[in-house]
Amino acid sequence: MAGARAAIRYAKAVLSLASDQKTAEAVNNDMKLIADTIAESQDLNDTLQSPVISSSVKKAVLLEVFKKSDKTTLSLIDTLVNNNRIDILGHVALKYNQLFDQSKGIELATVTTAVALTADLEKKVLAKAKELTGKDVEVENIIDESILGGFILRIGDIQYNASIANQLNKLKREFTLN
């Protein structure tokens, strides 16, 4: 991913500034909104990536869309425009969220299930995640019908596979070996 290292540097700088100004939580909320908006709006993403659209137009669009953002967030937009790096705004927002969560001791877990998580299953997943990491965990649910049932939990480089498809594959391997 082009600009990944730059995105991390900008995210660290903004987190440091926001922490000093005691606005890290507000900026984190802004960054979540920015990341989600850019991910969901192909038009906005195309505008930010376009070399044909001028920086002043990009800045005007972003200031209009995110006008209720914290001044630190608006300052980041300004800095990225001035440095001709506005195309990495979405990556900076994602990295900021990750760094903020790490600073609060929160891990992001992705849970792949065949159907949407129920409240009961989410409790079980959170309990298993806490058992595996010893940290508070935030859950992101991905739906993949190919796992048939159960769940696959990923936290950083740890994976816990409790899917029906995985159990069936284990049985299949056992029968083919014997």
Side-chain angles (χ1 to χ4, degrees):
M1 162 171 78
R5 288 177 42 188
I8 291 169
R9 280 192 229 113
Y10 280 107
K12 284 180 179 178
V14 171
L15 180 60
S16 176
L17 179 63
S19 296
D20 290 348
Q21 296 176 349
K22 308 278 189 262
T23 60
E25 186 80 40
V27 173
N28 187 51
N29 294 334
D30 291 346
M31 293 297 161
K32 282 182 183 175
L33 177 65
I34 288 170
D36 292 345
T37 304
I38 291 172
E40 291 171 9
S41 173
Q42 189 61 45
D43 289 340
L44 180 58
N45 191 30
D46 290 346
T47 300
L48 294 178
Q49 302 303 321
S50 174
V52 177
I53 299 172
S54 72
S55 294
S56 59
V57 170
K58 293 177 184 180
K59 180 179 176 180
V61 167
L62 290 170
L63 293 178
E64 183 61 32
V65 173
F66 304 113
K67 59 185 162 205
K68 294 183 180 177
S69 296
D70 187 86
K71 66 179 180 168
T72 305
T73 305
L74 299 176
S75 176
L76 169 67
I77 292 170
D78 234 8
T79 302
L80 289 173
V81 167
N82 292 338
N83 294 341
N84 293 321
R85 298 307 303 257
I86 198 63
D87 58 321
I88 66 169
L89 177 62
H91 300 303
V92 173
L94 289 172
K95 291 296 177 190
Y96 182 94
N97 292 144
Q98 291 171 355
L99 292 170
F100 180 80
D101 287 347
Q102 285 175 358
S103 73
K104 296 293 183 191
I106 299 171
E107 283 280 340
L108 177 64
T110 55
V111 181
T112 307
T113 55
V115 295
L117 278 178
T118 62
D120 185 42
L121 184 57
E122 188 171 350
K123 282 182 191 174
K124 289 179 183 176
V125 168
L126 286 172
K128 187 64 179 177
K130 186 146 180 101
E131 176 189 320
L132 289 172
T133 64
K135 297 181 179 180
D136 289 330
V137 176
E138 219 173 84
V139 176
E140 175 189 347
N141 187 208
I142 299 170
I143 298 172
D144 179 3
E145 294 173 2
S146 70
I147 69 167
L148 304 177
F151 63 90
I152 301 171
L153 174 64
R154 284 188 189 91
I155 309 165
D157 59 354
I158 300 170
Q159 178 172 309
Y160 179 77
N161 193 335
S163 67
I164 302 296
N166 184 51
Q167 292 170 8
L168 289 173
N169 282 334
K170 282 182 185 175
L171 280 173
K172 182 180 176 183
R173 283 192 301 269
E174 281 183 30
F175 284 129
T176 56
L177 291 175
N178 294 331

